[in-house]
Amino acid sequence: MAAMKWWGWGHEDVSFTHEDKPELAPFIQKALQLDVTKPGTERPKELDELDVPDPVLPDALRGALEKAVGAEYVSTDQLDRVVHTRGKSLRDLVRQRRGDMPRVPDAVLRPGDEAAAEALLAAALEADAVVIPFGGGSSISGSVEAEPGEKRPVLSVDMGRLDRVLDVDPTSRLARIQAGVFGPELERQLGERGWTIGHFPDSFTHSTLGGWIATRSSGMQSDRYGDIADLTRGLRVVTPSGVLVVRPVPSTSTGPSVREMVLGSEGRLGLITEATVQVRRRPPERQILGYLFPNWREGLAAMRDIAASEAEPSVTRVSDAPETAFSFATSKAPTPLDRVKSKALQLLLKRKGWDLEQMCLSFIGYEGTSTNVKLQRALTERIVKRHGGMSIGSSPGELYDQKKFDTPYIRDFLLDRGAPADVSETSAPWSELGNVYDAVRAAGQGAFRELGVPGYLMCHLSHSYHAGACLYFTFAITPSGERDSLEEYDVVKSAIQQAFVDSGATLSHHHAVGTEHARWLEQDISGPGVRMVEALLHGTDPGANLNPGKIVK
Amino acid sequence: MAAMKWWGWGHEDVSFTHEDKPELAPFIQKALQLDVTKPGTERPKELDELDVPDPVLPDALRGALEKAVGAEYVSTDQLDRVVHTRGKSLRDLVRQRRGDMPRVPDAVLRPGDEAAAEALLAAALEADAVVIPFGGGSSISGSVEAEPGEKRPVLSVDMGRLDRVLDVDPTSRLARIQAGVFGPELERQLGERGWTIGHFPDSFTHSTLGGWIATRSSGMQSDRYGDIADLTRGLRVVTPSGVLVVRPVPSTSTGPSVREMVLGSEGRLGLITEATVQVRRRPPERQILGYLFPNWREGLAAMRDIAASEAEPSVTRVSDAPETAFSFATSKAPTPLDRVKSKALQLLLKRKGWDLEQMCLSFIGYEGTSTNVKLQRALTERIVKRHGGMSIGSSPGELYDQKKFDTPYIRDFLLDRGAPADVSETSAPWSELGNVYDAVRAAGQGAFRELGVPGYLMCHLSHSYHAGACLYFTFAITPSGERDSLEEYDVVKSAIQQAFVDSGATLSHHHAVGTEHARWLEQDISGPGVRMVEALLHGTDPGANLNPGKIVK
């Protein structure tokens, strides 16, 4: 797995374009007053233009690290260091493009096994160096960047060589897996044996098992498979006091759960080298169907009623009207037949008395034996119908399923044209979701007005639970040009985050805290909650060598 | 809710007897060489025979506590203090009966609201007193007893006045509930509104919501409803740095989860005053059916295959052959018709070629709409049949359902006759359960042999998960009379616990650590795991005022 672009998302040879999507340029023109048909003018700097300080790596430390992981796996290469400087938050992308790099890691280390990870941590602690674990580098919360004023040597530990499925226990449906493996490679190795982990976050192609665990990740099929917090049973973590071994037992009452302390720990407790996770046989049948609801209220209510019913779909997702409009605008050039169908559909919906501006697109997935898929679908569609929803068949769902991992590339496309776009997601009880949504809409629109910039804000519900769901917001602005665009971005992002915590929701559903969300932590988990997290992190890492500054100071 | 007997389990007017169970006395005679038809001679001491030291409660502290909770709720009554001295582990029962009470709490406090709990904790910290939260006092892990050498004032905080369901949110299916409420009262208040929490541990009648949370409890229907760790969403906990407030969001990625740190914390982080928990509508239909399997291996395999299938029963439980024999022996006097039926059944089973000594009794439950119950039952019974199992209808299941909360009384019945009996439970991956079972059988039998005493050891599987299940062992011995019976008890209990951790299983599935299991903690969660738990507990409670000595030193 090659590293991502140093200045943007994903593979070097993949990028987002409006050219094969005839509706998109007019849509963005209307939404953001931005003409994307003009080539982008805000290109990133060239690598050799960057002002990257020389690495500071005392000889004794370098020697110890080379002994620990092997000399060829201690890299001070400039590109390597630049790629490992930070993750892929909007703020990260902008600063990388600008060459704004106050603290580049001094070396990138690539341990090949747990013993190497242990030895490197010992060497780092001995030299009072900072150790930052690095999985896919897809963090959008600032979780992999050194603190700007860090005076100690900074070591980015790339876990990518630990990329093997070590064992599958078919009886227990557990797989022992090295933590540095990327999503696609993990699924390939599991798939060869007929298994899947069923964890598909949007970052899937560029994120790792260890990263998912360190940030409490969720995937599009988590309704059925569980979040990574549910999937992860056993763990091996190299900590300052040795290798933490969590047994892969299904449930235990051994005091406050150490397993759960590692989940979401963002590298502050140690280097996750291995996990034993729940896997399932690849399902004999799998469907993701598209549905339309007359409006957001009905779409939300349908998802809530499905969660309270005996139906158990594998995916539940509904977009609000703005996101529905965006989805339609990103459709690729339709065939003449598609056009006819689409006209017929519009006619039908108008006859039903729908306001097409309010219409909401939904995807619901079903998995398992053919009998079960039929049953789940029948149970679910009864509820969909009760809320005025209608099926639009399998092609939209298939399309979504295929292109979902391409979405992150759009930020670079917009940044080339100077427009920052990003996501913020939360979760709340079902009874509060309507209020949270309204509060975030108001906050976002308020921020656009305050800045006097064109902005777009859209949302979908995903990840249904017993008692609530995730609301996932995406926003973009065309900056005024009067201020630093990052400042304007920050006004919007902050308004949304503040609306989350003010309305009783959480600061993040599955993107973790890092530095981006740290300022809302106390408002979310309360002062005593912060004290408990501090007690755990500071007590485990008294020298503050492990990814300091993330989650809490 | 009246407190339990100071010397034993449960209500003053309830006790276990063999008299209505014609097979039981002969069974125990054979299993333990113990004649239970003779009245017990080992009665507990009388209350006034106890040597209870006067309470040590400095005037300033007493004044502050009276101000905090109200003078009538600061009790130094002898019975009150004796009842709150410890929980109901076998060791607890024996020592209470003997009047062996090295450290009786100096006062029992009963806060009526969260503000009172806050004030009492502040007063206790100010005076450097020890605070031990007390729910139902049903702990069998030593979680509510002061350390024997404790020199500081010891305050047992009985949460029983906090016994109300405050609110039910029908849209989110969440109930906000005070933590001191006992199981039956909780279900009564929820039931009035048509809801249930679905949490039914064996201790249900004498344990509280806060106690379930503090110990990571499981109930007989947890397969469907989830363990208490799944059910608990929001929390309010009075801690040394103020009131911890965990929002009742369905899922979040706010760093290591504070919610999960409170689960299993056994009073070491603070006083749990309130929780917001998942509730469900009472199901329209509910069945618990009995099944028989030809042997333990097939019973285990059936439970595993059910967990891996699309069937979702609400209860899965199978007893090994010794527990099956015990269950049959505790049947109440059968009618002549029962006898005929039972003979016919035996005949049938012999014709199938079953070895009746190996036969295993199982209970499987189904819940929901009538359609769903039928479907789940059909899916499940297909698997049962594949493993040679057969249905024996609803009466055994109903009987089990009715009498399950009476089981704990049997320990007092046996202790009256000098025989200690207790339980130890664990969990492990499906692939390991057979080995764990064999290892524990060998360890238990080895301990009986080593001691030269008659002993009985039996087991059931309960709580099926994706990747494994709980094995729940019950054991009893007739002591030799040559040593303290507690010493002999300890040899057996320790052998079983050691077999758990040696075979890769966990030290406890749902009874927590307390002091009883603390010596196996490091073998279970590894040294670095213990360090992390210590960091959390010591950092949150630097003065070691909150239930010191439990889980870790």
Side-chain angles (χ1 to χ4, degrees):
Chain A
M1 178 65 50
M4 285 200 266
K5 295 162 185 162
W6 67 264
W7 52 267
W9 183 267
H11 301 290
E12 279 299 339
D13 52 348
V14 180
S15 58
F16 184 92
T17 174
H18 64 95
E19 284 167 11
D20 52 355
K21 305 173 191 81
E23 312 275 337
L24 188 57
F27 179 90
I28 295 179
Q29 177 66 51
K30 193 175 158 207
L32 293 176
Q33 298 170 26
L34 187 69
D35 182 359
V36 294
T37 60
K38 290 194 208 142
T41 54
E42 307 223 357
R43 297 294 307 164
K45 281 196 173 173
E46 295 299 322
L47 186 60
D48 57 18
E49 292 176 303
L50 298 182
D51 182 18
V52 179
D54 287 338
V56 179
L57 201 61
D59 285 347
L61 175 58
R62 180 190 282 267
L65 293 173
E66 289 183 353
K67 200 170 156 213
V69 300
E72 68 270 44
Y73 297 113
V74 178
S75 164
T76 50
D77 171 74
Q78 172 163 312
L79 176 58
D80 220 0
R81 290 172 56 221
V82 168
V83 168
H84 287 83
T85 297
R86 42 173 76 106
K88 301 296 179 189
S89 77
L90 189 279
R91 201 188 311 273
D92 293 341
L93 299 185
V94 170
R95 290 178 302 157
Q96 292 282 101
R97 284 167 164 260
R98 291 178 182 170
D100 172 9
M101 296 180 192
R103 192 62 179 94
V104 176
D106 297 297
V108 177
L109 312 175
R110 292 184 168 82
D113 57 24
E114 186 180 274
E118 274 190 89
L120 90 77
L121 182 60
L125 292 178
E126 173 71 27
D128 194 20
V130 166
V131 169
I132 304 180
F134 194 97
S138 66
S139 166
I140 61 166
S141 304
S143 304
V144 296
E145 181 175 358
E147 294 190 284
E150 184 58 70
K151 297 282 183 280
R152 300 172 290 178
V154 173
L155 311 173
S156 177
V157 183
D158 189 312
M159 304 300 286
R161 288 175 68 210
L162 297 170
D163 65 351
R164 280 174 308 127
V165 172
L166 299 173
D167 183 46
V168 178
D169 169 355
T171 308
S172 311
R173 301 184 293 157
L174 286 171
R176 201 156 63 80
I177 304 171
Q178 291 185 309
V181 68
F182 281 81
E185 178 60 18
L186 169 57
E187 279 298 310
R188 191 192 64 73
Q189 293 184 43
L190 285 176
E192 274 178 356
R193 312 185 198 192
W195 298 91
T196 176
I197 185 174
H199 190 73
F200 302 104
D202 290 353
S203 64
F204 177 74
T205 50
H206 292 87
S207 56
T208 63
L209 174 60
W212 301 337
I213 293 169
T215 55
R216 294 186 79 104
S217 166
S218 290
M220 65 167 283
Q221 290 171 219
S222 296
D223 282 14
R224 172 170 165 78
Y225 289 83
D227 294 331
I228 201 71
D230 306 303
L231 294 172
T232 306
R233 305 313 326 169
L235 283 165
R236 294 184 70 92
V237 186
V238 175
T239 80
S241 59
V243 180
L244 168 70
V245 183
V246 175
R247 297 173 171 209
V249 296
S251 187
T252 174
S253 61
T254 45
S257 163
V258 169
R259 182 184 76 84
E260 291 162 2
M261 294 178 197
V262 175
L263 289 159
S265 58
E266 300 186 31
R268 295 217 53 175
L269 295 172
L271 297 157
I272 303 171
T273 55
E274 190 182 302
T276 303
V277 301
Q278 298 181 179
V279 291
R280 288 179 184 243
R281 287 283 175 200
R282 302 212 149 188
E285 209 169 294
R286 181 163 180 271
Q287 284 184 3
I288 298 186
L289 299 186
Y291 298 87
L292 291 174
F293 287 95
N295 55 53
W296 175 241
R297 206 171 47 80
E298 292 293 350
L300 269 192
M303 297 303 129
R304 181 196 71 212
D305 288 357
I306 291 168
S309 77
E310 288 174 343
E312 299 195 319
S314 57
V315 177
T316 49
R317 179 184 164 112
V318 58
S319 293
D320 68 355
E323 191 170 283
T324 299
F326 173 75
S327 288
F328 288 148
T330 55
S331 297
K332 296 203 175 174
T335 65
L337 184 63
D338 285 330
R339 273 191 242 273
V340 174
K341 273 192 197 160
S342 144
K343 268 208 159 158
L345 181 64
Q346 291 220 356
L347 220 62
L348 170 69
L349 296 177
K350 274 198 178 148
R351 270 202 210 119
K352 288 181 102 172
W354 286 23
D355 174 355
L356 295 189
E357 302 281 301
Q358 297 301 315
M359 190 169 70
C360 290
L361 177 64
S362 165
F363 297 117
I364 306 182
Y366 312 99
E367 268 194 27
T369 58
S370 162
T371 319
N372 191 48
V373 166
K374 273 200 200 80
L375 170 70
Q376 297 307 329
R377 188 172 159 185
L379 287 172
T380 305
E381 293 193 344
R382 205 177 300 160
I383 298 167
V384 168
K385 198 170 272 178
R386 211 160 64 216
H387 290 282
M390 55 177 289
S391 166
I392 51 169
S394 59
S395 33
E398 280 162 19
L399 202 66
Y400 159 70
D401 201 19
Q402 286 156 25
K403 74 176 187 181
K404 62 185 183 291
F405 302 135
D406 298 340
T407 315
Y409 289 96
I410 199 172
R411 290 188 305 164
D412 297 306
F413 169 80
L414 288 171
L415 278 181
D416 284 347
R417 290 151 181 89
D422 207 1
V423 296
S424 267
E425 90 296 349
T426 188
S427 82
W430 289 110
S431 59
E432 298 303 318
L433 288 178
N435 297 337
V436 174
Y437 177 80
D438 292 343
V440 174
R441 291 282 317 163
Q445 301 295 348
F448 301 153
R449 264 198 315 277
E450 179 192 332
L451 295 167
V453 300
Y456 201 71
L457 175 61
M458 60 193 195
C459 174
H460 63 260
L461 173 149
S462 61
H463 305 98
S464 292
Y465 302 85
H466 173 101
C470 165
L471 290 183
Y472 192 109
F473 293 87
T474 304
F475 61 92
I477 56 171
T478 301
S480 65
E482 289 163 20
R483 285 165 295 241
D484 183 342
S485 64
L486 267 189
E487 260 178 59
E488 296 189 342
Y489 157 82
D490 195 56
V491 170
V492 180
K493 166 90 177 166
S494 298
I496 291 171
Q497 290 290 137
Q498 193 62 49
F500 288 166
V501 292
D502 287 349
S503 53
T506 186
L507 63 82
S508 174
H509 171 263
H510 59 261
H511 284 139
V513 182
T515 50
E516 286 290 331
H517 301 140
R519 61 183 138 145
W520 291 281
L521 187 64
E522 183 158 338
Q523 294 172 63
D524 186 333
I525 69 171
S526 78
V530 174
R531 298 297 92 67
M532 282 163 58
V533 174
E534 286 170 345
L536 170 66
L537 302 183
H538 298 167
T540 304
D541 174 33
N545 298 97
L546 292 166
N547 207 9
K550 309 314 176 317
I551 311 172
V552 293
K553 271 291 155 200
Chain B
M1 179 63 52
M4 287 200 264
K5 296 162 186 163
W6 67 264
W7 52 267
W9 183 268
H11 301 290
E12 279 298 338
D13 53 348
V14 180
S15 58
F16 185 91
T17 175
H18 65 94
E19 285 168 12
D20 53 354
K21 306 171 190 83
E23 312 275 337
L24 187 58
F27 179 90
I28 295 178
Q29 177 66 50
K30 193 176 158 206
L32 293 175
Q33 298 168 28
L34 186 68
D35 181 359
V36 295
T37 60
K38 289 195 210 144
T41 55
E42 307 222 358
R43 298 292 307 163
K45 281 197 173 173
E46 295 299 322
L47 186 62
D48 56 17
E49 291 175 305
L50 299 181
D51 182 18
V52 179
D54 287 338
V56 178
L57 202 61
D59 285 347
L61 175 57
R62 179 191 282 269
L65 293 173
E66 288 183 352
K67 200 170 157 211
V69 300
E72 69 271 44
Y73 297 112
V74 178
S75 164
T76 50
D77 170 75
Q78 171 163 315
L79 176 58
D80 220 0
R81 290 171 58 221
V82 167
V83 167
H84 287 82
T85 297
R86 43 172 76 104
K88 302 295 179 189
S89 76
L90 190 278
R91 201 188 311 274
D92 294 341
L93 300 184
V94 170
R95 290 180 302 158
Q96 291 283 101
R97 284 168 164 259
R98 291 178 181 171
D100 171 10
M101 297 181 191
R103 193 59 179 96
V104 176
D106 297 297
V108 178
L109 312 176
R110 292 184 168 81
D113 56 25
E114 186 178 274
E118 274 189 89
L120 91 77
L121 182 59
L125 292 178
E126 173 70 28
D128 194 19
V130 165
V131 169
I132 304 179
F134 193 97
S138 65
S139 164
I140 61 166
S141 305
S143 304
V144 295
E145 181 176 358
E147 293 190 286
E150 184 58 71
K151 297 282 183 279
R152 300 171 290 178
V154 173
L155 310 172
S156 177
V157 183
D158 188 312
M159 304 300 285
R161 288 175 68 210
L162 298 170
D163 65 351
R164 278 174 309 126
V165 172
L166 299 172
D167 183 46
V168 179
D169 169 354
T171 308
S172 310
R173 302 185 292 156
L174 286 172
R176 200 156 62 80
I177 304 171
Q178 291 185 309
V181 68
F182 281 80
E185 178 60 17
L186 169 56
E187 279 299 309
R188 192 191 63 73
Q189 292 184 44
L190 285 176
E192 274 178 355
R193 313 186 198 191
W195 298 91
T196 177
I197 185 175
H199 189 73
F200 302 104
D202 290 353
S203 65
F204 177 74
T205 51
H206 292 88
S207 55
T208 64
L209 174 59
W212 301 338
I213 293 168
T215 54
R216 292 186 80 102
S217 165
S218 290
M220 65 168 283
Q221 290 170 220
S222 295
D223 282 15
R224 173 170 164 79
Y225 289 83
D227 292 331
I228 202 71
D230 306 303
L231 294 172
T232 305
R233 305 314 324 169
L235 283 166
R236 294 186 69 93
V237 186
V238 175
T239 79
S241 59
V243 179
L244 167 71
V245 183
V246 175
R247 296 173 172 209
V249 296
S251 188
T252 175
S253 62
T254 44
S257 164
V258 169
R259 183 184 75 83
E260 290 162 2
M261 294 178 196
V262 175
L263 290 159
S265 58
E266 300 186 31
R268 294 217 53 176
L269 294 172
L271 297 157
I272 302 170
T273 57
E274 191 183 302
T276 302
V277 301
Q278 297 182 179
V279 291
R280 289 180 183 242
R281 288 284 177 200
R282 301 212 148 188
E285 207 168 297
R286 179 163 182 272
Q287 284 184 3
I288 298 187
L289 299 186
Y291 298 87
L292 291 175
F293 287 95
N295 56 53
W296 175 241
R297 207 171 47 80
E298 293 292 352
L300 268 191
M303 298 302 128
R304 180 195 72 213
D305 287 358
I306 292 168
S309 77
E310 288 174 343
E312 298 194 321
S314 56
V315 176
T316 49
R317 179 184 165 112
V318 58
S319 294
D320 68 355
E323 191 170 283
T324 299
F326 173 74
S327 288
F328 288 148
T330 55
S331 297
K332 295 204 176 173
T335 64
L337 185 63
D338 285 330
R339 275 191 240 271
V340 174
K341 274 192 195 159
S342 145
K343 270 208 158 160
L345 180 65
Q346 292 219 357
L347 219 62
L348 170 70
L349 297 176
K350 275 198 176 148
R351 267 199 214 122
K352 289 181 99 169
W354 286 23
D355 173 356
L356 296 188
E357 301 281 302
Q358 296 301 315
M359 190 171 70
C360 290
L361 177 64
S362 165
F363 297 116
I364 306 182
Y366 312 99
E367 269 195 26
T369 58
S370 161
T371 320
N372 191 49
V373 166
K374 270 200 204 77
L375 171 69
Q376 296 308 329
R377 190 174 157 183
L379 288 171
T380 305
E381 293 193 346
R382 205 178 300 160
I383 298 167
V384 168
K385 197 170 274 178
R386 210 160 65 218
H387 291 281
M390 57 177 288
S391 165
I392 50 169
S394 59
S395 32
E398 281 162 17
L399 202 66
Y400 160 70
D401 202 20
Q402 286 155 24
K403 75 178 187 182
K404 60 187 184 288
F405 302 135
D406 298 340
T407 315
Y409 288 95
I410 199 172
R411 290 188 305 165
D412 297 306
F413 169 80
L414 289 171
L415 278 182
D416 284 347
R417 289 152 181 89
D422 207 2
V423 297
S424 267
E425 91 297 349
T426 188
S427 82
W430 288 111
S431 59
E432 297 304 319
L433 288 178
N435 297 337
V436 174
Y437 177 79
D438 292 344
V440 174
R441 290 282 317 164
Q445 301 295 347
F448 300 153
R449 263 198 315 278
E450 179 193 330
L451 294 167
V453 300
Y456 201 73
L457 175 61
M458 60 192 195
C459 173
H460 63 259
L461 173 150
S462 59
H463 305 98
S464 291
Y465 302 85
H466 173 100
C470 164
L471 289 183
Y472 192 108
F473 292 86
T474 303
F475 60 93
I477 55 171
T478 302
S480 65
E482 290 163 20
R483 284 165 296 242
D484 184 342
S485 63
L486 267 189
E487 261 178 57
E488 296 189 341
Y489 157 82
D490 196 56
V491 169
V492 180
K493 165 90 177 167
S494 299
I496 292 172
Q497 290 290 137
Q498 193 63 49
F500 288 166
V501 293
D502 286 348
S503 54
T506 185
L507 63 81
S508 174
H509 170 262
H510 60 261
H511 283 140
V513 182
T515 51
E516 286 290 331
H517 300 139
R519 61 185 139 144
W520 291 281
L521 187 63
E522 183 157 338
Q523 294 172 65
D524 187 333
I525 68 171
S526 78
V530 174
R531 298 296 92 70
M532 282 163 58
V533 173
E534 287 171 344
L536 170 65
L537 302 183
H538 297 168
T540 305
D541 174 33
N545 298 98
L546 291 164
N547 207 9
K550 310 313 175 316
I551 310 172
V552 293
K553 270 293 154 197

